[in-house]
Amino acid sequence: PTQVGGQPPSTKPVVVGINPVVTKAGEQINQNWITSQLEPAQTAGIAAKGAIDNIRIMKNIDFKTGFTADTQKNAANVLAAFGVKDAAKYAADGQIFEAKVYESLVDTLGKQKGPQTKADFENIQKTYVRLKNTPRANEFLLDVAEAKAMEDQRKANYYQEAAAMPSVRGNLSAITNAWQKISEKDSLFNVPLTDKAGNQYTLSQKYGIK
């Protein structure tokens, strides 16, 4: 068949120039992701590293004997890492510290989405109610706090590594979707923790949570 005028149809691919509007929009989406997702994840990851160090120190402290000046500093750093404002105000007393750790954990998890996060949220509440007013309550909350900090570090590392991959540089927001699929299957209660003797355990194992 021929076109009008008797010319055969062209078999060459049509070359379409890159739409500058589309390119600009893609750049803006990527920049928004960097500002709203990557940078907060990196900040949380840095805070998590300090929190883990302080949490492990707090695990070796007898809350009944009162908080020393050094203990209060460590306690304040733990609370600050979880977004508690004026953390130093709540770091002088073991019971107040415990209450603030619990409050910050349930507040953080309560704002997150996903069936696994919901299950973690409910398990933290149930287990804390069961252990409240016992020496194990603080131990439990510090274990949960450490597991949460380790997950924050893991997320920061994932975002950092994924953002550097050439295959996703054109659509950085896909990293968030990929992470959500990964994290939806994970539970804080299955994060491997290590005791003072170097033995690994999970919250599920230690506190009998299914």
Side-chain angles (χ1 to χ4, degrees), residues 46-84:
I46 293 170
K49 184 181 184 305
I52 290 170
D53 293 338
N54 285 290
I55 287 167
R56 289 174 180 171
I57 292 172
M58 294 296 294
K59 284 183 176 182
N60 295 317
I61 292 169
D62 185 352
F63 280 49
K64 293 181 180 179
T65 60
F67 281 12
T68 65
D70 286 340
T71 302
Q72 290 178 34
K73 183 178 179 180
N74 291 326
N77 288 337
V78 171
L79 294 175
F82 285 97
V84 177

Short mmCIF file of all heavy atoms in Angstrom, two decimals, residues 46-84:
data_model
loop_
_atom_site.label_atom_id
_atom_site.label_comp_id
_atom_site.label_asym_id
_atom_site.label_seq_id
_atom_site.Cartn_x
_atom_site.Cartn_y
_atom_site.Cartn_z
N ILE A 46 20.97 7.92 61.93
CA ILE A 46 22.06 8.45 62.76
C ILE A 46 21.64 8.47 64.23
O ILE A 46 22.39 8.07 65.12
CB ILE A 46 22.45 9.86 62.29
CG1 ILE A 46 23.09 9.79 60.90
CG2 ILE A 46 23.42 10.52 63.28
CD1 ILE A 46 23.29 11.14 60.24
N ALA A 47 20.41 8.93 64.48
CA ALA A 47 19.89 8.97 65.86
C ALA A 47 19.79 7.56 66.42
O ALA A 47 20.05 7.33 67.61
CB ALA A 47 18.53 9.65 65.88
N ALA A 48 19.42 6.61 65.57
CA ALA A 48 19.26 5.22 66.01
C ALA A 48 20.58 4.63 66.48
O ALA A 48 20.61 3.88 67.46
CB ALA A 48 18.69 4.38 64.88
N LYS A 49 21.65 4.97 65.80
CA LYS A 49 22.96 4.43 66.20
C LYS A 49 23.31 4.87 67.63
O LYS A 49 23.72 4.07 68.46
CB LYS A 49 24.05 4.89 65.24
CG LYS A 49 25.42 4.29 65.55
CD LYS A 49 26.49 4.78 64.60
CE LYS A 49 27.83 4.09 64.87
NZ LYS A 49 28.27 4.21 66.26
N GLY A 50 23.10 6.17 67.90
CA GLY A 50 23.35 6.66 69.25
C GLY A 50 22.40 6.06 70.26
O GLY A 50 22.78 5.76 71.39
N ALA A 51 21.15 5.86 69.83
CA ALA A 51 20.14 5.29 70.73
C ALA A 51 20.51 3.87 71.13
O ALA A 51 20.39 3.49 72.30
CB ALA A 51 18.77 5.30 70.05
N ILE A 52 20.97 3.08 70.17
CA ILE A 52 21.35 1.69 70.46
C ILE A 52 22.45 1.63 71.50
O ILE A 52 22.40 0.85 72.45
CB ILE A 52 21.78 0.97 69.16
CG1 ILE A 52 20.56 0.76 68.25
CG2 ILE A 52 22.44 -0.37 69.47
CD1 ILE A 52 20.91 0.29 66.86
N ASP A 53 23.45 2.49 71.34
CA ASP A 53 24.56 2.53 72.31
C ASP A 53 24.04 2.87 73.71
O ASP A 53 24.42 2.24 74.70
CB ASP A 53 25.61 3.56 71.88
CG ASP A 53 26.33 3.16 70.60
OD1 ASP A 53 26.33 1.95 70.28
OD2 ASP A 53 26.88 4.05 69.92
N ASN A 54 23.16 3.86 73.78
CA ASN A 54 22.63 4.29 75.08
C ASN A 54 21.66 3.26 75.67
O ASN A 54 21.63 3.06 76.89
CB ASN A 54 21.95 5.65 74.95
CG ASN A 54 22.95 6.78 74.83
OD1 ASN A 54 23.64 7.12 75.78
ND2 ASN A 54 23.04 7.38 73.65
N ILE A 55 20.88 2.62 74.83
CA ILE A 55 19.93 1.60 75.29
C ILE A 55 20.70 0.44 75.93
O ILE A 55 20.31 -0.07 76.99
CB ILE A 55 19.06 1.09 74.12
CG1 ILE A 55 18.04 2.16 73.73
CG2 ILE A 55 18.34 -0.20 74.50
CD1 ILE A 55 17.35 1.90 72.40
N ARG A 56 21.78 0.04 75.30
CA ARG A 56 22.56 -1.08 75.83
C ARG A 56 23.20 -0.73 77.18
O ARG A 56 23.34 -1.60 78.04
CB ARG A 56 23.62 -1.50 74.80
CG ARG A 56 22.97 -2.18 73.60
CD ARG A 56 23.93 -2.48 72.47
NE ARG A 56 23.23 -3.14 71.37
CZ ARG A 56 23.76 -3.36 70.17
NH1 ARG A 56 25.01 -3.00 69.92
NH2 ARG A 56 23.05 -3.95 69.23
N ILE A 57 23.54 0.54 77.35
CA ILE A 57 24.04 0.98 78.66
C ILE A 57 22.92 0.93 79.69
O ILE A 57 23.10 0.46 80.82
CB ILE A 57 24.63 2.40 78.57
CG1 ILE A 57 25.91 2.39 77.72
CG2 ILE A 57 24.93 2.96 79.96
CD1 ILE A 57 26.45 3.77 77.40
N MET A 58 21.74 1.41 79.27
CA MET A 58 20.59 1.44 80.18
C MET A 58 20.18 0.04 80.63
O MET A 58 19.67 -0.15 81.73
CB MET A 58 19.40 2.13 79.51
CG MET A 58 19.60 3.61 79.21
SD MET A 58 19.80 4.61 80.69
CE MET A 58 18.19 4.45 81.44
N LYS A 59 20.41 -0.95 79.80
CA LYS A 59 20.04 -2.33 80.15
C LYS A 59 20.84 -2.86 81.33
O LYS A 59 20.43 -3.82 81.98
CB LYS A 59 20.23 -3.25 78.93
CG LYS A 59 19.15 -3.11 77.87
CD LYS A 59 19.39 -4.11 76.75
CE LYS A 59 18.27 -4.07 75.73
NZ LYS A 59 18.46 -5.08 74.65
N ASN A 60 21.97 -2.25 81.60
CA ASN A 60 22.83 -2.71 82.69
C ASN A 60 22.63 -1.91 83.98
O ASN A 60 23.40 -2.06 84.93
CB ASN A 60 24.31 -2.62 82.27
CG ASN A 60 24.63 -3.55 81.13
OD1 ASN A 60 24.21 -4.71 81.13
ND2 ASN A 60 25.38 -3.07 80.14
N ILE A 61 21.61 -1.08 83.98
CA ILE A 61 21.37 -0.21 85.13
C ILE A 61 20.22 -0.74 85.98
O ILE A 61 19.20 -1.18 85.45
CB ILE A 61 21.06 1.22 84.66
CG1 ILE A 61 22.33 1.85 84.02
CG2 ILE A 61 20.56 2.09 85.80
CD1 ILE A 61 22.07 3.12 83.30
N ASP A 62 20.40 -0.70 87.30
CA ASP A 62 19.34 -1.08 88.23
C ASP A 62 18.45 0.14 88.46
O ASP A 62 18.86 1.11 89.10
CB ASP A 62 19.94 -1.55 89.55
CG ASP A 62 18.87 -2.09 90.51
OD1 ASP A 62 17.68 -1.93 90.20
OD2 ASP A 62 19.26 -2.63 91.57
N PHE A 63 17.24 0.09 87.92
CA PHE A 63 16.36 1.24 87.99
C PHE A 63 15.91 1.54 89.44
O PHE A 63 15.48 2.64 89.74
CB PHE A 63 15.13 1.01 87.11
CG PHE A 63 15.38 1.27 85.65
CD1 PHE A 63 16.49 0.74 85.01
CD2 PHE A 63 14.51 2.05 84.92
CE1 PHE A 63 16.73 0.98 83.67
CE2 PHE A 63 14.73 2.31 83.57
CZ PHE A 63 15.85 1.76 82.94
N LYS A 64 16.01 0.57 90.30
CA LYS A 64 15.55 0.75 91.68
C LYS A 64 16.49 1.62 92.49
O LYS A 64 16.08 2.25 93.47
CB LYS A 64 15.40 -0.60 92.37
CG LYS A 64 14.30 -1.47 91.80
CD LYS A 64 14.21 -2.79 92.55
CE LYS A 64 13.12 -3.67 91.99
NZ LYS A 64 13.04 -4.97 92.72
N THR A 65 17.76 1.65 92.11
CA THR A 65 18.75 2.38 92.91
C THR A 65 18.81 3.86 92.57
O THR A 65 19.57 4.60 93.18
CB THR A 65 20.15 1.76 92.70
OG1 THR A 65 20.50 1.85 91.32
CG2 THR A 65 20.16 0.31 93.14
N GLY A 66 18.03 4.28 91.62
CA GLY A 66 18.05 5.69 91.24
C GLY A 66 19.02 5.96 90.11
O GLY A 66 19.94 5.18 89.86
N PHE A 67 18.82 7.07 89.44
CA PHE A 67 19.62 7.42 88.28
C PHE A 67 20.76 8.36 88.67
O PHE A 67 20.53 9.39 89.28
CB PHE A 67 18.75 8.11 87.22
CG PHE A 67 17.91 7.16 86.40
CD1 PHE A 67 17.75 5.84 86.76
CD2 PHE A 67 17.26 7.61 85.27
CE1 PHE A 67 16.98 4.98 86.01
CE2 PHE A 67 16.48 6.76 84.50
CZ PHE A 67 16.34 5.44 84.87
N THR A 68 21.97 7.99 88.29
CA THR A 68 23.11 8.88 88.49
C THR A 68 23.09 9.93 87.38
O THR A 68 22.28 9.86 86.45
CB THR A 68 24.43 8.10 88.41
OG1 THR A 68 24.57 7.58 87.07
CG2 THR A 68 24.44 6.94 89.40
N ALA A 69 24.01 10.88 87.46
CA ALA A 69 24.08 11.93 86.43
C ALA A 69 24.37 11.32 85.07
O ALA A 69 23.77 11.72 84.06
CB ALA A 69 25.16 12.94 86.80
N ASP A 70 25.26 10.33 85.02
CA ASP A 70 25.58 9.68 83.75
C ASP A 70 24.38 8.89 83.21
O ASP A 70 24.10 8.89 82.01
CB ASP A 70 26.77 8.73 83.91
CG ASP A 70 28.09 9.48 84.05
OD1 ASP A 70 28.13 10.66 83.65
OD2 ASP A 70 29.05 8.89 84.56
N THR A 71 23.69 8.22 84.14
CA THR A 71 22.50 7.47 83.73
C THR A 71 21.44 8.39 83.15
O THR A 71 20.80 8.07 82.14
CB THR A 71 21.91 6.71 84.94
OG1 THR A 71 22.89 5.84 85.48
CG2 THR A 71 20.69 5.90 84.52
N GLN A 72 21.25 9.54 83.79
CA GLN A 72 20.26 10.50 83.31
C GLN A 72 20.62 11.00 81.91
O GLN A 72 19.74 11.19 81.06
CB GLN A 72 20.17 11.68 84.28
CG GLN A 72 19.53 11.32 85.61
CD GLN A 72 19.51 12.49 86.57
OE1 GLN A 72 19.36 13.64 86.15
NE2 GLN A 72 19.65 12.23 87.87
N LYS A 73 21.91 11.17 81.67
CA LYS A 73 22.34 11.61 80.35
C LYS A 73 22.02 10.55 79.30
O LYS A 73 21.50 10.86 78.22
CB LYS A 73 23.84 11.90 80.37
CG LYS A 73 24.39 12.44 79.05
CD LYS A 73 25.87 12.75 79.16
CE LYS A 73 26.40 13.28 77.83
NZ LYS A 73 27.85 13.60 77.91
N ASN A 74 22.31 9.29 79.63
CA ASN A 74 22.00 8.20 78.70
C ASN A 74 20.50 8.08 78.46
O ASN A 74 20.05 7.87 77.33
CB ASN A 74 22.55 6.88 79.24
CG ASN A 74 24.07 6.81 79.23
OD1 ASN A 74 24.71 7.34 78.35
ND2 ASN A 74 24.64 6.16 80.22
N ALA A 75 19.74 8.20 79.54
CA ALA A 75 18.28 8.11 79.44
C ALA A 75 17.73 9.23 78.56
O ALA A 75 16.84 9.01 77.73
CB ALA A 75 17.65 8.17 80.83
N ALA A 76 18.25 10.44 78.75
CA ALA A 76 17.80 11.57 77.94
C ALA A 76 18.12 11.36 76.46
O ALA A 76 17.31 11.69 75.58
CB ALA A 76 18.46 12.86 78.44
N ASN A 77 19.29 10.78 76.19
CA ASN A 77 19.67 10.51 74.79
C ASN A 77 18.75 9.48 74.14
O ASN A 77 18.41 9.59 72.96
CB ASN A 77 21.12 10.02 74.74
CG ASN A 77 22.12 11.12 75.02
OD1 ASN A 77 21.83 12.30 74.84
ND2 ASN A 77 23.31 10.75 75.46
N VAL A 78 18.34 8.48 74.92
CA VAL A 78 17.41 7.48 74.40
C VAL A 78 16.08 8.14 74.05
O VAL A 78 15.54 7.93 72.95
CB VAL A 78 17.18 6.34 75.43
CG1 VAL A 78 16.04 5.43 74.97
CG2 VAL A 78 18.45 5.53 75.63
N LEU A 79 15.55 8.93 74.96
CA LEU A 79 14.27 9.59 74.72
C LEU A 79 14.35 10.56 73.55
O LEU A 79 13.43 10.62 72.72
CB LEU A 79 13.83 10.33 75.99
CG LEU A 79 13.50 9.45 77.20
CD1 LEU A 79 13.19 10.32 78.41
CD2 LEU A 79 12.32 8.53 76.91
N ALA A 80 15.43 11.31 73.47
CA ALA A 80 15.59 12.28 72.39
C ALA A 80 15.64 11.59 71.04
O ALA A 80 15.10 12.09 70.05
CB ALA A 80 16.85 13.11 72.61
N ALA A 81 16.29 10.42 71.00
CA ALA A 81 16.39 9.67 69.74
C ALA A 81 15.02 9.23 69.24
O ALA A 81 14.83 9.06 68.03
CB ALA A 81 17.29 8.45 69.92
N PHE A 82 14.06 9.08 70.15
CA PHE A 82 12.70 8.69 69.77
C PHE A 82 11.75 9.88 69.69
O PHE A 82 10.53 9.72 69.69
CB PHE A 82 12.18 7.63 70.73
CG PHE A 82 12.78 6.28 70.49
CD1 PHE A 82 13.85 5.83 71.23
CD2 PHE A 82 12.31 5.46 69.48
CE1 PHE A 82 14.44 4.60 70.99
CE2 PHE A 82 12.88 4.23 69.22
CZ PHE A 82 13.95 3.79 69.98
N GLY A 83 12.34 11.06 69.62
CA GLY A 83 11.54 12.25 69.36
C GLY A 83 10.85 12.87 70.55
O GLY A 83 9.94 13.69 70.38
N VAL A 84 11.25 12.52 71.76
CA VAL A 84 10.64 13.11 72.95
C VAL A 84 11.24 14.49 73.17
O VAL A 84 12.46 14.64 73.31
CB VAL A 84 10.89 12.23 74.20
CG1 VAL A 84 10.32 12.91 75.45
CG2 VAL A 84 10.26 10.86 74.00
#
